[in-house]
């Protein structure tokens, strides 16, 4: 299981980054999505606890838990 990020939905608001207790998320400064924003990316996936906080605070439903 892992966290899936739909980069095309992300508007780079940073709420998920701010509230992530594991501090595994960051904005991808090297990429611009279809909406013209730098999307969020997972820096260290092995440290993600799948707590769901990013999912709960994201206004754009960018996150989902998957295989």
């Amino acid at each position: 299981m892992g966290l899936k990020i739909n980069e095309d939905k992300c508007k780079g608001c940073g709420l998920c980054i701010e509230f992530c207790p594991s501090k595994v998320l960051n904005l991808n400064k090297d990429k611009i999505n279809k909406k013209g924003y730098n999307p969020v990316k997972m820096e260290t996936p092995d440290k993600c606890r799948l707590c769901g906080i990013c999912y709960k605070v994201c206004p754009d439903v960018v996150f989902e838990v998957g295989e």
Side-chain angles (χ1 to χ4, degrees), residues 21-33:
S22 300
K23 303 299 180 202
V24 298
L25 301 171
N26 209 344
L27 289 182
N28 188 346
K29 300 289 185 182
D30 298 324
K31 187 172 188 177
I32 296 178
N33 65 14

Side-chain angles (χ1 to χ4, degrees), residues 18-55:
E18 181 179 343
F19 288 100
C20 176
S22 300
K23 303 299 180 202
V24 298
L25 301 171
N26 209 344
L27 289 182
N28 188 346
K29 300 289 185 182
D30 298 324
K31 187 172 188 177
I32 296 178
N33 65 14
K34 292 179 181 180
K35 292 183 175 183
Y37 298 106
N38 294 104
V40 68
K41 69 176 179 176
M42 176 108 37
E43 293 283 346
T44 48
D46 56 318
K47 294 185 180 180
C48 177
R49 299 184 297 187
L50 295 174
C51 65
I53 292 174
C54 57
Y55 175 82

